[in-house]
Amino acid sequence: MAKNLVIVESPAKAKTIEGYLGSDYVVKASIGHVRDLPKNNFAVSANGNFDVTYEVYPDSVKVVSELKKLAKEAIKDDKFVWLATDEDREGEAISWHLLEAMKIDESKTKRIVFSEITKQAILAAMEKPRTIDMDLVNAQQARRILDRLVGFELSPVLWRKVGPSLSAGRVQSVAVRLIVEREREVEAFNASAYFGIRAMFDLTDAVLKADLSGKISDGTAAQAFLEDCKNAEFAISSLETKPGTRTPAAPFTTSTLQQEAGRKLGMSVKATMTVAQKLYESGKITYMRTDSMNLSDFARDAAKLEIVSSFGEKYSHPRVFKSKKGAQEAHEAIRPTDMAVKTIDGDTNEKRLYELIWKRTLASQMADAKLENTTAHVNISTRSETLVAKGQVVKFDGFLKVYMEGTDDEESDESGVLPPLHEGQILDLRNMVAQEKFTQKPARYSEASLVKKMEELGIGRPSTYASTISTIQARTYVVKQDLEGKPRSYAVHTLANKNITSETKTENTGAERSKLFPTDIGRVVNDFLVENFKSILDYAFTANVEEEFDIIAEGNLDWKKMLRTFYNPFHENVNKTMNEAARASGERFLGDDPATGKPIIARIGRFGPMIQLGTAEEEEKKFASLRPNQSINTITLEEALDLFKMPRNLGEWNGEKIVVGIGRFGPYVKYKSTYASLRVKEGDDPFTIDLERAVKLVEDKINGVNANLLKTFTEDENVQIINGRFGAYLKSGNLNFKLPKGAKAEDISWANAQQIMEEQMEQATKKAASRKPAPKKAPAKKAPAKKPAAKKAPAKKAAAKKSPKK
């Protein structure tokens, strides 16, 4: 007898839910989306009606076929197909696409949603089925189609006006703009020096630290200040004590989880979402894509029970957080499904992220922290200025017992507890230091702070932040990297025992970790788009489009009307730019070549950043590729001239010249017709390499020595481990095999290698078999036709279907 069919998105989720529903249900996974717009086909009719052609992913053909078969069996026995994909717009769209791809009657389906994978939540959802919400589906379709229109129409413009293989995206391009503009703020920033004054006073059993509330402009004035304080008397002129409170942060939304995981755990946005997905699918947390700060009554009650039992009644303060406009209050914030579970089994990142979510949720339902802020003003008898000492005492820790929210502010809070003081108290100066300081440049974006900025501006939505940040890095418009600091001198003047001493110290400044930097090509593409497509790159315009998607989801705006309003002026702009705009290369004049008098220009070329000697009109021009650490925006004339020293003649070997040069694929050594790549990771530098080293590289190349060879197996010398562009891999003849994640070449035995190859060969065979079209039946005998029938398309290509009108 057939069973009710329940369709979810992931196999992990399917296994868990099937255990809750009993023997009358079979739970299968669609494995995410099964249909989408074809990759290499526009697939959208821009005729004002926006008819769409979808196709089933090749990898999903077998999945859809199996689901369709099970669905028909269920319906035949008066059972139902339960569409249990995620509760957001993407999940709603997946359910609709499944319905369309399986070609089953919607009346035989039930749509259910839940925000956590627990038995209670699943059974409750089964009691409240509904139909597919086409408003949510159309909001997702509008976003997908709009992104396709922008991508497919803007990319050819970039190919012609900037360079090949470039692409643009509606949200991604705006994210790149944020990073480019911040980088230019950093470059335009000029640090100014000032002096800060700090005094240390000896008390009976403690030391009091007090700072000058203002800044002193230069060293001369700072020394004059210290000179005036040599014989000064210092006294407490006033004491102010004020009560204060600190309120806990709201439970996590998608964006705040991404930000806090970045700050506290050092996790990238993509890694955060991957780990959160695992926690959700294993039933440990609620749905991780949400912009709601709301907690259910059940969750608040569970949190209160945990707080009271662990810390006492006075630590409990149930509260409801109001979400921003547009957030779906029916959804919940990200929280543990069971507040009594403080720690979980899993890998390190799963444990750390779960603990972060548990603490944040619990703290949100705890009492405010009660503080006492004290400010002491210290009078200087010989100056009009005052010194200020600040302290803070926690009278009741409240939620701070569990959790303190992170911050993007890199300066530490030095407020401590002040020793006992009274007005009029005379203070004994231990020393006073005037230290040179410098104003701070704007902070470059980290992934976490970029998410925060995008959310503030209304750019993108929780489900898109991770993919947006990953995409702009994959397109090499942006790179995430560390920046080494540089030494900087600063002056220190110290007053102690009525004597002033001066010294110069050195500090490391400008070091940054895991920050986002625009590449040369990212800047050029951004500048071209900002100049020619102002609305698409406008922050307010992009945010307004997101709001219109929300209005469509609420059923208050026709999605095709919204697309028409956007597309018509955009398409005109595309045509105008294609016909009228000048090419963009980020060209920057560096100066004239001292030897020839010809101009030297830094620009983007066909194969990336480059230096050009001579004008575009000249027949004889020279070109040189930039080195990996160079940029067309910062390279100097002297550095550019060095690049033209390539190719460099190193001398002769066996009566033939050996030269070193830099080509499209990096630095190389050339001997006759043999080219050998320099091993940059081993320290080879085309500007310093000598003849002896070059000969060694050439000999290795001639003798077939692979510089990337990590290991050869004695059992079969054709089986090797190679260090490739994307990491180490196993090679056997012409076949390549992936190594297990984290595996090291030296740890792979011959038995391991055999097992890896056998398993992956078996997987490849099964995958190939699953994609073979079903064998054709022999045609029935009949009279010859006058004209042969056209051949049918293979099954896997026949899954395209136009989206029906709502």
Side-chain angles (χ1 to χ4, degrees), residues 127-138:
E127 294 294 322
K128 298 178 181 179
R130 60 171 173 81
T131 58
I132 290 176
D133 187 334
M134 285 305 298
D135 291 326
L136 292 180
V137 173
N138 289 335

mmCIF file with all atom_site columns, all heavy atoms in Angstrom, residues 127-138:
data_model
loop_
_atom_site.group_PDB
_atom_site.id
_atom_site.type_symbol
_atom_site.label_atom_id
_atom_site.label_alt_id
_atom_site.label_comp_id
_atom_site.label_asym_id
_atom_site.label_entity_id
_atom_site.label_seq_id
_atom_site.pdbx_PDB_ins_code
_atom_site.Cartn_x
_atom_site.Cartn_y
_atom_site.Cartn_z
_atom_site.occupancy
_atom_site.B_iso_or_equiv
_atom_site.pdbx_formal_charge
_atom_site.auth_seq_id
_atom_site.auth_comp_id
_atom_site.auth_asym_id
_atom_site.auth_atom_id
_atom_site.pdbx_PDB_model_num
ATOM 1  N N   . GLU A 1 127 ? -0.954 19.549 11.400 1.00 0.00 ? 127 GLU A N   1
ATOM 2  C CA  . GLU A 1 127 ? -2.334 19.880 11.775 1.00 0.00 ? 127 GLU A CA  1
ATOM 3  C C   . GLU A 1 127 ? -2.824 21.150 11.082 1.00 0.00 ? 127 GLU A C   1
ATOM 4  O O   . GLU A 1 127 ? -4.017 21.435 11.079 1.00 0.00 ? 127 GLU A O   1
ATOM 5  C CB  . GLU A 1 127 ? -2.425 20.073 13.299 1.00 0.00 ? 127 GLU A CB  1
ATOM 6  C CG  . GLU A 1 127 ? -2.178 18.813 14.115 1.00 0.00 ? 127 GLU A CG  1
ATOM 7  C CD  . GLU A 1 127 ? -3.257 17.763 13.900 1.00 0.00 ? 127 GLU A CD  1
ATOM 8  O OE1 . GLU A 1 127 ? -4.427 18.140 13.778 1.00 0.00 ? 127 GLU A OE1 1
ATOM 9  O OE2 . GLU A 1 127 ? -2.916 16.571 13.821 1.00 0.00 ? 127 GLU A OE2 1
ATOM 10 N N   . LYS A 1 128 ? -1.897 21.937 10.500 1.00 0.00 ? 128 LYS A N   1
ATOM 11 C CA  . LYS A 1 128 ? -2.271 23.217 9.884  1.00 0.00 ? 128 LYS A CA  1
ATOM 12 C C   . LYS A 1 128 ? -1.721 23.336 8.469  1.00 0.00 ? 128 LYS A C   1
ATOM 13 O O   . LYS A 1 128 ? -0.956 24.254 8.146  1.00 0.00 ? 128 LYS A O   1
ATOM 14 C CB  . LYS A 1 128 ? -1.749 24.377 10.730 1.00 0.00 ? 128 LYS A CB  1
ATOM 15 C CG  . LYS A 1 128 ? -2.322 24.435 12.128 1.00 0.00 ? 128 LYS A CG  1
ATOM 16 C CD  . LYS A 1 128 ? -1.713 25.593 12.904 1.00 0.00 ? 128 LYS A CD  1
ATOM 17 C CE  . LYS A 1 128 ? -2.246 25.661 14.317 1.00 0.00 ? 128 LYS A CE  1
ATOM 18 N NZ  . LYS A 1 128 ? -1.628 26.780 15.086 1.00 0.00 ? 128 LYS A NZ  1
ATOM 19 N N   . PRO A 1 129 ? -2.097 22.424 7.561  1.00 0.00 ? 129 PRO A N   1
ATOM 20 C CA  . PRO A 1 129 ? -1.592 22.530 6.183  1.00 0.00 ? 129 PRO A CA  1
ATOM 21 C C   . PRO A 1 129 ? -2.260 23.691 5.455  1.00 0.00 ? 129 PRO A C   1
ATOM 22 O O   . PRO A 1 129 ? -3.321 24.164 5.861  1.00 0.00 ? 129 PRO A O   1
ATOM 23 C CB  . PRO A 1 129 ? -1.986 21.181 5.575  1.00 0.00 ? 129 PRO A CB  1
ATOM 24 C CG  . PRO A 1 129 ? -3.209 20.776 6.332  1.00 0.00 ? 129 PRO A CG  1
ATOM 25 C CD  . PRO A 1 129 ? -2.995 21.271 7.739  1.00 0.00 ? 129 PRO A CD  1
ATOM 26 N N   . ARG A 1 130 ? -1.634 24.159 4.419  1.00 0.00 ? 130 ARG A N   1
ATOM 27 C CA  . ARG A 1 130 ? -2.191 25.224 3.580  1.00 0.00 ? 130 ARG A CA  1
ATOM 28 C C   . ARG A 1 130 ? -1.828 24.948 2.143  1.00 0.00 ? 130 ARG A C   1
ATOM 29 O O   . ARG A 1 130 ? -1.230 23.923 1.820  1.00 0.00 ? 130 ARG A O   1
ATOM 30 C CB  . ARG A 1 130 ? -1.665 26.588 4.021  1.00 0.00 ? 130 ARG A CB  1
ATOM 31 C CG  . ARG A 1 130 ? -0.146 26.735 3.957  1.00 0.00 ? 130 ARG A CG  1
ATOM 32 C CD  . ARG A 1 130 ? 0.248  28.181 4.204  1.00 0.00 ? 130 ARG A CD  1
ATOM 33 N NE  . ARG A 1 130 ? 1.671  28.401 4.319  1.00 0.00 ? 130 ARG A NE  1
ATOM 34 C CZ  . ARG A 1 130 ? 2.522  28.518 3.299  1.00 0.00 ? 130 ARG A CZ  1
ATOM 35 N NH1 . ARG A 1 130 ? 2.067  28.378 2.054  1.00 0.00 ? 130 ARG A NH1 1
ATOM 36 N NH2 . ARG A 1 130 ? 3.804  28.769 3.499  1.00 0.00 ? 130 ARG A NH2 1
ATOM 37 N N   . THR A 1 131 ? -2.207 25.853 1.256  1.00 0.00 ? 131 THR A N   1
ATOM 38 C CA  . THR A 1 131 ? -1.811 25.735 -0.156 1.00 0.00 ? 131 THR A CA  1
ATOM 39 C C   . THR A 1 131 ? -0.546 26.556 -0.380 1.00 0.00 ? 131 THR A C   1
ATOM 40 O O   . THR A 1 131 ? -0.122 27.328 0.498  1.00 0.00 ? 131 THR A O   1
ATOM 41 C CB  . THR A 1 131 ? -2.925 26.243 -1.086 1.00 0.00 ? 131 THR A CB  1
ATOM 42 O OG1 . THR A 1 131 ? -3.220 27.608 -0.750 1.00 0.00 ? 131 THR A OG1 1
ATOM 43 C CG2 . THR A 1 131 ? -4.179 25.388 -0.929 1.00 0.00 ? 131 THR A CG2 1
ATOM 44 N N   . ILE A 1 132 ? 0.055  26.404 -1.528 1.00 0.00 ? 132 ILE A N   1
ATOM 45 C CA  . ILE A 1 132 ? 1.256  27.184 -1.859 1.00 0.00 ? 132 ILE A CA  1
ATOM 46 C C   . ILE A 1 132 ? 0.897  28.666 -1.935 1.00 0.00 ? 132 ILE A C   1
ATOM 47 O O   . ILE A 1 132 ? -0.101 29.045 -2.552 1.00 0.00 ? 132 ILE A O   1
ATOM 48 C CB  . ILE A 1 132 ? 1.863  26.699 -3.186 1.00 0.00 ? 132 ILE A CB  1
ATOM 49 C CG1 . ILE A 1 132 ? 2.479  25.307 -3.004 1.00 0.00 ? 132 ILE A CG1 1
ATOM 50 C CG2 . ILE A 1 132 ? 2.924  27.669 -3.691 1.00 0.00 ? 132 ILE A CG2 1
ATOM 51 C CD1 . ILE A 1 132 ? 3.010  24.697 -4.275 1.00 0.00 ? 132 ILE A CD1 1
ATOM 52 N N   . ASP A 1 133 ? 1.698  29.488 -1.291 1.00 0.00 ? 133 ASP A N   1
ATOM 53 C CA  . ASP A 1 133 ? 1.493  30.937 -1.286 1.00 0.00 ? 133 ASP A CA  1
ATOM 54 C C   . ASP A 1 133 ? 2.149  31.528 -2.531 1.00 0.00 ? 133 ASP A C   1
ATOM 55 O O   . ASP A 1 133 ? 3.359  31.741 -2.568 1.00 0.00 ? 133 ASP A O   1
ATOM 56 C CB  . ASP A 1 133 ? 2.101  31.530 -0.013 1.00 0.00 ? 133 ASP A CB  1
ATOM 57 C CG  . ASP A 1 133 ? 1.787  33.006 0.166  1.00 0.00 ? 133 ASP A CG  1
ATOM 58 O OD1 . ASP A 1 133 ? 1.548  33.686 -0.857 1.00 0.00 ? 133 ASP A OD1 1
ATOM 59 O OD2 . ASP A 1 133 ? 1.808  33.488 1.304  1.00 0.00 ? 133 ASP A OD2 1
ATOM 60 N N   . MET A 1 134 ? 1.327  31.816 -3.541 1.00 0.00 ? 134 MET A N   1
ATOM 61 C CA  . MET A 1 134 ? 1.872  32.306 -4.801 1.00 0.00 ? 134 MET A CA  1
ATOM 62 C C   . MET A 1 134 ? 2.446  33.717 -4.697 1.00 0.00 ? 134 MET A C   1
ATOM 63 O O   . MET A 1 134 ? 3.273  34.117 -5.508 1.00 0.00 ? 134 MET A O   1
ATOM 64 C CB  . MET A 1 134 ? 0.820  32.258 -5.902 1.00 0.00 ? 134 MET A CB  1
ATOM 65 C CG  . MET A 1 134 ? 0.543  30.860 -6.426 1.00 0.00 ? 134 MET A CG  1
ATOM 66 S SD  . MET A 1 134 ? 2.049  29.992 -6.997 1.00 0.00 ? 134 MET A SD  1
ATOM 67 C CE  . MET A 1 134 ? 2.588  31.051 -8.329 1.00 0.00 ? 134 MET A CE  1
ATOM 68 N N   . ASP A 1 135 ? 2.036  34.461 -3.671 1.00 0.00 ? 135 ASP A N   1
ATOM 69 C CA  . ASP A 1 135 ? 2.647  35.779 -3.477 1.00 0.00 ? 135 ASP A CA  1
ATOM 70 C C   . ASP A 1 135 ? 4.121  35.630 -3.114 1.00 0.00 ? 135 ASP A C   1
ATOM 71 O O   . ASP A 1 135 ? 4.980  36.365 -3.621 1.00 0.00 ? 135 ASP A O   1
ATOM 72 C CB  . ASP A 1 135 ? 1.905  36.556 -2.385 1.00 0.00 ? 135 ASP A CB  1
ATOM 73 C CG  . ASP A 1 135 ? 0.500  36.965 -2.813 1.00 0.00 ? 135 ASP A CG  1
ATOM 74 O OD1 . ASP A 1 135 ? 0.322  37.243 -4.013 1.00 0.00 ? 135 ASP A OD1 1
ATOM 75 O OD2 . ASP A 1 135 ? -0.389 36.991 -1.955 1.00 0.00 ? 135 ASP A OD2 1
ATOM 76 N N   . LEU A 1 136 ? 4.414  34.672 -2.231 1.00 0.00 ? 136 LEU A N   1
ATOM 77 C CA  . LEU A 1 136 ? 5.815  34.409 -1.884 1.00 0.00 ? 136 LEU A CA  1
ATOM 78 C C   . LEU A 1 136 ? 6.583  33.883 -3.093 1.00 0.00 ? 136 LEU A C   1
ATOM 79 O O   . LEU A 1 136 ? 7.724  34.266 -3.338 1.00 0.00 ? 136 LEU A O   1
ATOM 80 C CB  . LEU A 1 136 ? 5.897  33.396 -0.737 1.00 0.00 ? 136 LEU A CB  1
ATOM 81 C CG  . LEU A 1 136 ? 5.393  33.849 0.637  1.00 0.00 ? 136 LEU A CG  1
ATOM 82 C CD1 . LEU A 1 136 ? 5.544  32.708 1.640  1.00 0.00 ? 136 LEU A CD1 1
ATOM 83 C CD2 . LEU A 1 136 ? 6.159  35.070 1.121  1.00 0.00 ? 136 LEU A CD2 1
ATOM 84 N N   . VAL A 1 137 ? 5.940  32.991 -3.848 1.00 0.00 ? 137 VAL A N   1
ATOM 85 C CA  . VAL A 1 137 ? 6.581  32.439 -5.049 1.00 0.00 ? 137 VAL A CA  1
ATOM 86 C C   . VAL A 1 137 ? 6.896  33.552 -6.042 1.00 0.00 ? 137 VAL A C   1
ATOM 87 O O   . VAL A 1 137 ? 7.991  33.609 -6.607 1.00 0.00 ? 137 VAL A O   1
ATOM 88 C CB  . VAL A 1 137 ? 5.686  31.375 -5.708 1.00 0.00 ? 137 VAL A CB  1
ATOM 89 C CG1 . VAL A 1 137 ? 6.275  30.931 -7.048 1.00 0.00 ? 137 VAL A CG1 1
ATOM 90 C CG2 . VAL A 1 137 ? 5.529  30.167 -4.791 1.00 0.00 ? 137 VAL A CG2 1
ATOM 91 N N   . ASN A 1 138 ? 5.937  34.437 -6.243 1.00 0.00 ? 138 ASN A N   1
ATOM 92 C CA  . ASN A 1 138 ? 6.144  35.509 -7.220 1.00 0.00 ? 138 ASN A CA  1
ATOM 93 C C   . ASN A 1 138 ? 7.206  36.512 -6.762 1.00 0.00 ? 138 ASN A C   1
ATOM 94 O O   . ASN A 1 138 ? 7.916  37.087 -7.587 1.00 0.00 ? 138 ASN A O   1
ATOM 95 C CB  . ASN A 1 138 ? 4.823  36.221 -7.499 1.00 0.00 ? 138 ASN A CB  1
ATOM 96 C CG  . ASN A 1 138 ? 3.881  35.345 -8.303 1.00 0.00 ? 138 ASN A CG  1
ATOM 97 O OD1 . ASN A 1 138 ? 4.317  34.451 -9.037 1.00 0.00 ? 138 ASN A OD1 1
ATOM 98 N ND2 . ASN A 1 138 ? 2.579  35.578 -8.169 1.00 0.00 ? 138 ASN A ND2 1
#
